[in-house]
Amino acid sequence: MNGSMEQNIRTLIVDDEPAIRELLAFTLEDMDLQVSVAATVREAKMQLEQGGIDFCLTDLRLPDGSGLEIVSEIQHHHPLMPVAVITAYSSADSAVEAMKAGAFDYVSKPIEVNRLRQLARRAIQLLGPRVAEKAAVDPVVGEGPQILGVSPAITRVREQIQRLGRSMAPVHITGESGTGKELVARAIHAASPRAAAPFTPVNCGAIPENLMESEFFGYEKGAFTGATQRRAGLFEAANGGTLFLDEVADLPLPMQVKLLRAIQERAIRPVGAHKEMPVDVRVISATHQDLAQLVAEKRFREDLYYRLNVIPLSVPPLRERREDIPVIAEMLLQRIAQRQGLGSLRLSPAALAWLTHYPFYGNVRELENLLERAAALHEGASIEPHDLQAPGTPPAESCAAPPNLDATIEATEGRILLDALERAQGVKTEAARLLGISFRSFRYRLKKLGLDQ
């Protein structure tokens, strides 16, 4: 930042230590920001009431209360104002609590000037259109993935995505396999000031355990046999952007410890390196498993769970938003027709009605598989219900009310697994990748259903 780009943006610094206030004020004024200061919660609230504040940075420990009171005040009365907090170096829990309350980021004591500048830049980007008249700063705007649908459930998800885009807080996305958790993660990234930076997805269940540390953190030349040159890891690749940890429940316990440290310290140590390197990464995680249950079973670290699950977001299954099926099916069918070079392709009214009554235990992924098969095998001008009914598919008339729920679920799951195996030409690791689950999970499901021959 240079010149007078931010000269009209007013920042409120709240800290009771004069030396800290002076350091913060000097750094932000050097960025051409206007600075006001307060030493207590009461003084801060008075300045906020007077108006004109664009961005607030507050200590959490103040003489007359907690900085969380200021965060809550801003969330209630000035919801578009970015607010960040200052925490003690070892107080990760306080930072998590502040982000849950609405802070978009935090900086730890002792304060690093470069980290403070980085935080201020994020705040200015979050101001978005409000800055346009006050400073020559354009927000980073990303064309996010489309989250289609008109149901109340998916409308709430879209609203959450926009709110979460303004935060640096870790998000944990839950939902059944095939609901589109990665799509939601990409949409959060695209709605954030990080939209122009990398979105780096990784399936935690697809990385061999002995390679995890080098995959996540990279390695130096000569770190081990075969390391002929330096290689950046996933954290470094995502620097400045978002790291999406899909199926995070599949991480082995030793790697969970290393991941926790990287998230808390915002630094990594590549294999073979002698010192840590700072990284600026927002972490979004996802799983179809119940992490809280895994914590209770001692299969997932409780401290990592609370660090990842700062803001939970649940993606509803397709059968709970049936009114969205027509628009999703039409979009998928257009994509499939274009990919297969089929020209114009449409669903008959009867086929559309059949789809809206189908249980879809495999969610959007299963819908796409059904449409892809139907597009390849159909005859005539449009896709009819019989084109959708592959071997093992419940009859159209029974889709609305399966006679035996457990049996129907198992039959549907088995059909999805076998279909993936067929598409992967019998290679189980590839079938697991197609389904977006780990190899261990795929093998377990086959064995459970008696299909592991």
Side-chain angles (χ1 to χ4, degrees):
M1 299 183 186
N2 47 54
S4 59
M5 291 173 66
E6 286 77 51
Q7 61 184 349
N8 294 320
I9 297 175
R10 187 174 167 206
T11 302
L12 174 62
I13 295 171
V14 189
D15 199 297
D16 64 325
E17 296 183 49
I20 296 291
R21 288 201 305 270
E22 185 176 345
L23 170 64
L24 296 174
F26 177 81
T27 303
L28 297 183
E29 286 171 348
D30 190 52
M31 298 172 68
D32 291 326
L33 295 169
Q34 290 185 358
V35 175
S36 297
V37 298
T40 64
V41 172
R42 181 174 175 274
E43 290 177 17
K45 287 183 176 180
M46 289 176 59
Q47 294 213 37
L48 289 168
E49 286 175 7
Q50 292 169 7
I53 303 296
D54 297 297
F55 160 49
C56 179
L57 177 61
T58 178
D59 195 3
L60 285 178
R61 292 186 177 183
L62 295 166
D64 59 341
S66 167
L68 289 177
E69 294 180 51
I70 298 171
V71 175
S72 297
E73 174 85 4
I74 289 171
Q75 282 295 296
H76 185 67
H77 296 289
H78 314 279
L80 297 181
M81 183 190 300
V83 55
V85 298
I86 305 166
T87 71
Y89 180 75
S90 59
S91 185
D93 290 343
S94 298
V96 169
E97 189 177 358
M99 288 192 288
K100 284 183 176 179
F104 80 93
D105 204 352
Y106 69 93
V107 61
S108 300
K109 294 180 180 178
I111 294 171
E112 298 178 6
V113 171
N114 287 338
R115 168 76 183 129
L116 178 60
R117 288 175 174 272
Q118 186 181 75
L119 183 146
R121 293 188 188 101
R122 297 278 187 220
I124 292 166
Q125 289 173 330
L126 284 172
L127 288 169
R130 294 170 55 205
V131 176
E133 296 179 1
K134 299 182 72 173
V137 176
D138 293 324
V140 179
V141 179
E143 283 295 327
Q146 287 183 300
I147 310 294
L148 297 177
V150 296
S151 65
I154 207 65
T155 299
R156 284 193 296 272
V157 169
R158 280 198 296 266
E159 291 170 351
Q160 285 180 284
I161 286 169
Q162 291 306 310
R163 288 197 298 271
L164 296 177
R166 295 176 52 81
S167 174
M168 259 287 291
V171 178
H172 182 60
I173 304 171
T174 57
E176 297 177 4
S177 292
T179 49
K181 295 185 289 295
E182 181 174 338
L183 190 71
V184 170
R186 288 183 180 275
I188 294 170
H189 171 77
S192 77
R194 297 172 175 265
F199 176 88
T200 306
V202 53
N203 188 323
C204 297
I207 303 175
E209 187 170 346
N210 63 326
L211 297 179
M212 276 194 171
E213 186 173 3
S214 60
E215 285 293 316
F216 274 93
F217 307 133
Y219 55 80
E220 299 293 333
K221 180 180 179 180
F224 49 81
T225 303
T228 57
Q229 58 184 9
R230 184 184 185 278
R231 181 185 173 187
L234 292 163
F235 267 87
E236 194 173 348
N239 201 20
T242 302
L243 179 62
F244 175 55
L245 304 176
D246 198 10
E247 295 304 338
V248 70
D250 289 333
L251 284 174
L253 288 169
M255 189 61 205
Q256 291 178 30
V257 178
K258 295 181 173 67
L259 177 62
L260 176 65
R261 177 174 175 78
I263 294 172
Q264 287 188 166
E265 305 302 330
R266 298 185 177 186
I268 60 169
R269 177 176 292 179
V271 177
H274 297 295
K275 62 180 182 178
E276 291 185 331
M277 60 178 291
V279 287
D280 170 29
V281 170
R282 184 188 191 177
V283 173
I284 299 178
S285 59
T287 183
H288 69 281
Q289 299 187 59
D290 185 343
L291 274 191
Q293 180 62 35
L294 294 181
V295 169
E297 296 170 359
K298 307 297 184 184
R299 294 164 55 196
F300 199 87
R301 289 184 63 94
E302 185 176 23
D303 47 8
L304 179 58
Y305 169 68
Y306 286 118
R307 203 69 182 86
L308 294 174
N309 195 41
V310 173
I311 302 178
L313 191 160
S314 176
V315 184
L318 194 55
R319 62 185 173 277
E320 292 181 5
R321 52 186 187 105
R322 294 186 182 278
E323 59 266 54
D324 296 339
I325 291 175
V327 66
I328 296 173
E330 292 293 346
M331 180 274 293
L332 290 173
L333 193 58
Q334 289 178 19
R335 183 190 298 170
I336 290 166
Q338 184 177 21
R339 189 165 61 230
Q340 295 185 6
L342 299 175
S344 178
L345 191 59
R346 65 184 182 87
L347 290 158
S348 72
L352 205 51
W354 187 92
L355 287 173
T356 57
H357 287 90
Y358 187 77
F360 284 116
Y361 296 108
N363 294 292
V364 178
R365 187 180 293 120
E366 182 178 9
L367 172 58
E368 184 170 15
N369 287 344
L370 282 178
L371 293 174
E372 193 159 13
R373 182 190 295 109
L377 300 177
H378 88 288
E379 296 177 357
S382 61
I383 291 177
E384 300 293 340
H386 65 267
D387 296 316
L388 296 163
Q389 290 179 252
T393 303
E397 61 271 14
S398 70
C399 285
N404 185 315
L405 185 59
D406 289 338
T408 302
I409 293 173
E410 289 190 356
T412 304
E413 184 178 8
R415 179 173 51 76
I416 293 170
L417 296 175
L418 292 175
D419 178 64
L421 265 177
E422 183 180 347
R423 291 168 60 196
Q425 299 180 327
V427 180
K428 293 178 183 177
T429 52
E430 174 64 12
R433 188 192 68 78
L434 290 172
L435 292 174
I437 62 177
S438 70
F439 172 68
R440 290 191 292 274
S441 177
F442 182 81
R443 188 172 56 185
Y444 167 77
R445 290 164 185 262
L446 282 178
K447 186 174 181 180
K448 181 186 71 171
L449 297 173
L451 301 174
D452 193 12
Q453 304 297 329

